[in-house]
Amino acid sequence: MARRLPASMRTRQNLSELIEGRLSAPAGRSELVELAARLIIEEALEEESRDALGRDYYERGGDSDRGYRNGVREGRLKTAEGMIPFSAPQIADGKESFRSAIRQHLKGRTEALEDLAVELLARGLSVRDIEDAFKDESGRLLLSKTAVSEIGARLWADYQEFCRRDLGEHEIIYLFVDGIAERIRPGQKREPVLAAWGIASDGKKVLLGLMAGSKEDAETVVAFFQDLRARGLGDPLLVVSDGAPGIIKAIETCFPRSARQRCLAHRMRNLAAKVPEDQWPDFKARVQAAYQAPSRAIARDLAEGVVNDHEAELPSAVACFRDDFEACIAHLRLPITHRRAIRTTNLLERLFVEERRRLKIIPNAFGEKPVLKLMFGAMIRAAARWRAIKITTFERRQLDALRKELDQDYEVDNGLEGNRSVAPIWFCTSRRVATSKARLVRVA
């Protein structure tokens, strides 16, 4: 007879599937918080029953006078997020009847429980977090120190597993990468934290990775990309980034079969800083017409007009406009209905704003581990609200045609025409990226 799994194990599995996108999340943040709160309740109740019996699930021995496990009883807890159902272990035939102190305690502490659940999603749980939530009015801890430590360790392990998840199940067609400077080490200057997300072939948006680096140079970004590669990321059609030289060089090194898109939001801010305020509306309209033209050929014609008309009076603005122009119009090779979503890194920018807002209200959230957990929490809650883009059958044919075109361009550039079997594949020699010096190996 198969052993019956503790309720918390099933809840943890549901939470992992929701985070990884295998379950639908129509309620967004509420569903995440509900599952996280349910997990904390069930694990606390299971640890309480273990302490009461003196033995774990399916463990023999202990004091028989304490009783034995007798299934579970369903309970519901009213919170601001709604009613949270949970399964509570039952103990029968004990010398003294068992009454859960935690269930009584939680009835008046739902706010603390919700804060704890959000903390789990945002930056993991410390032992002190759990102890504070499970102390009664007199300050007495309702769980043993061992039980508290084990809950924290399991939840942190769940977070780490999420960070190591396999990306091979997602066929990413659009990859976005950006960085934000954070104070990783107290007393030191801000250092970049790189983030990446993608749009898969089914139109769904997927979180891919986070990595802290000492600087935003090519070596660091290459290490970041190779970590994604080692976990199964393939060649996207388009990689979108800002104009950081290190990121651009890393894209060209690690994704030679992909087109590169320069973020137009960043480029427009660069141009606005170089044009007098009274001339900006007209210049902006003409530049946007070029960037959003129906085709790359028309975009080049419009760009030539901008250069001819403004080069004499606005030389620095025109030089900025001409710089990396082909990367600014790369999105024009893709289906027209996708272009608005793929020409900027705005989604990551909005996540960074949310993460910065949380840093202001969470004390001592400095250091690599807290910052990465905080960014993960902000991203995962936002990801539950991300809407997929629609990809029609005709658009899939367009994407397939572009894939062939990019492969042919790569083979021509590398002298591989007529010998596709020797096209090189780039991958990382190690799944672990402990430093920014991950080695790249070229395999025929």
Side-chain angles (χ1 to χ4, degrees):
M1 181 177 176
R3 288 182 172 180
R4 197 170 183 179
L5 292 177
S8 65
M9 294 185 66
R10 295 190 295 272
T11 302
R12 188 184 298 113
Q13 180 63 29
N14 288 338
L15 180 61
S16 297
E17 290 179 349
L18 179 60
I19 287 174
E20 295 174 11
R22 295 199 295 271
L23 293 180
S24 61
R29 176 185 180 279
S30 295
E31 188 169 353
L32 281 169
V33 172
E34 178 185 320
L35 275 175
R38 178 172 181 167
L39 176 61
I40 293 167
I41 294 170
E42 290 178 342
E43 290 200 335
L45 291 172
E46 288 165 8
E47 294 296 346
E48 182 186 38
S49 68
R50 188 194 68 176
D51 289 344
L53 292 171
R55 59 184 183 274
D56 209 340
Y57 275 86
Y58 312 112
E59 185 177 316
R60 296 183 181 277
D63 187 352
S64 60
D65 289 342
R66 296 187 183 187
Y68 61 89
R69 289 182 175 83
N70 187 30
V72 297
R73 181 179 179 182
E74 299 302 316
R76 289 164 67 85
L77 187 66
K78 186 176 181 180
T79 73
E81 296 287 344
M83 298 297 293
I84 296 180
F86 61 88
S87 298
Q90 299 298 294
I91 296 178
D93 290 352
K95 204 167 187 180
E96 297 180 3
S97 61
F98 173 75
R99 186 178 180 85
S100 171
I102 289 177
R103 291 190 66 173
Q104 294 300 315
H105 168 70
L106 289 177
K107 290 180 180 178
R109 293 291 303 278
T110 58
E111 184 178 348
L113 177 66
E114 291 168 34
D115 290 343
L116 198 63
V118 172
E119 200 70 6
L120 160 63
L121 295 172
R123 59 188 181 104
L125 291 177
S126 68
V127 169
R128 182 174 296 178
D129 290 328
I130 301 170
E131 287 181 349
D132 289 345
F134 291 103
K135 284 180 180 176
D136 63 16
E137 291 75 9
S138 66
R140 180 175 63 94
L141 183 60
L142 301 175
L143 289 170
S144 68
K145 291 279 187 179
T146 301
V148 169
S149 297
E150 289 181 357
I151 290 175
R154 284 198 299 269
L155 295 176
W156 174 238
D158 290 343
Y159 165 77
Q160 290 181 310
E161 183 61 28
F162 175 82
C163 294
R164 293 192 296 264
R165 69 200 185 283
D166 183 11
L167 303 178
E169 63 183 286
H170 305 294
E171 183 187 352
I172 300 298
I173 55 175
Y174 303 128
L175 174 66
F176 303 77
V177 60
D178 203 354
I180 183 172
E182 287 296 354
R183 205 172 301 282
I184 301 297
R185 296 168 182 82
Q188 301 295 317
K189 65 179 183 179
R190 293 183 182 274
E191 300 173 23
V193 176
L194 296 168
W197 66 278
I199 299 178
S201 57
D202 58 3
K204 292 181 180 178
K205 298 171 182 174
V206 184
L207 294 174
L208 297 172
L210 287 172
M211 191 186 85
S214 58
K215 49 189 175 179
E216 209 172 62
D217 62 354
E219 190 177 27
T220 300
V221 186
V222 163
F224 178 54
F225 286 152
Q226 295 310 312
D227 176 55
L228 301 180
R229 287 287 216 181
R231 292 193 282 127
L233 179 67
D235 288 304
L237 289 175
L238 187 73
V239 185
V240 188
S241 76
D242 62 13
I247 293 181
I248 291 175
K249 185 176 180 180
I251 292 172
E252 293 173 345
T253 298
C254 297
F255 300 103
R257 294 177 178 269
S258 305
R260 179 174 61 83
Q261 170 67 37
R262 184 79 169 255
C263 173
L264 293 184
H266 285 84
R267 176 42 55 90
M268 293 303 292
R269 287 197 289 268
N270 295 339
L271 290 172
K274 300 178 183 297
V275 179
E277 190 174 344
D278 61 325
Q279 295 179 265
W280 175 241
D282 177 63
F283 190 84
K284 176 183 178 182
R286 295 192 63 179
V287 166
Q288 285 182 328
Y291 288 152
Q292 299 174 25
S295 68
R296 289 188 296 161
I298 295 175
R300 295 182 187 114
D301 289 341
L302 294 173
E304 186 177 351
V306 172
V307 172
N308 292 337
D309 293 345
H310 295 283
E311 190 168 25
E313 59 178 346
L314 299 171
S316 62
V318 169
C320 180
F321 175 64
R322 295 175 69 173
D323 175 52
D324 212 16
F325 180 75
E326 287 301 312
C328 291
I329 61 172
H331 68 285
L332 300 180
R333 304 176 76 173
L334 282 305
I336 191 169
T337 57
H338 298 182
R339 294 176 187 176
R340 184 171 182 176
I342 63 175
R343 63 193 182 206
T344 72
T345 58
N346 280 353
L347 193 56
L348 281 176
E349 294 283 327
R350 290 195 291 271
L351 290 179
F352 291 154
V353 170
E354 169 66 13
E355 180 254 343
R356 276 281 170 84
R357 182 186 68 79
R358 285 188 57 81
L359 272 180
K360 292 179 180 179
I361 62 174
I362 296 178
N364 303 319
F366 298 101
E368 182 171 332
K369 192 173 182 179
V371 168
L372 289 178
K373 287 190 290 183
L374 180 67
M375 293 182 70
F376 162 75
M379 287 181 135
I380 204 63
R381 288 197 292 276
R385 301 190 298 271
W386 286 350
R387 291 182 297 178
I389 66 172
K390 185 177 181 180
I391 302 179
T392 66
T393 302
F394 175 69
E395 289 167 343
R396 291 186 191 281
R397 289 201 294 267
Q398 287 181 284
L399 297 175
D400 290 341
L402 179 58
R403 176 79 279 164
K404 293 178 182 178
E405 183 181 331
L406 291 171
D407 286 344
Q408 289 171 358
D409 290 346
Y410 174 82
E411 292 168 3
V412 169
D413 291 342
N414 291 273
L416 301 173
E417 312 97 300
N419 191 14
R420 297 191 181 190
S421 62
V422 298
I425 299 172
W426 294 92
F427 73 97
C428 185
T429 57
S430 173
R431 293 179 65 92
R432 183 184 178 199
V433 185
T435 71
S436 61
K437 296 182 179 180
R439 292 190 299 120
L440 299 179
V441 176
R442 196 178 189 182
V443 176

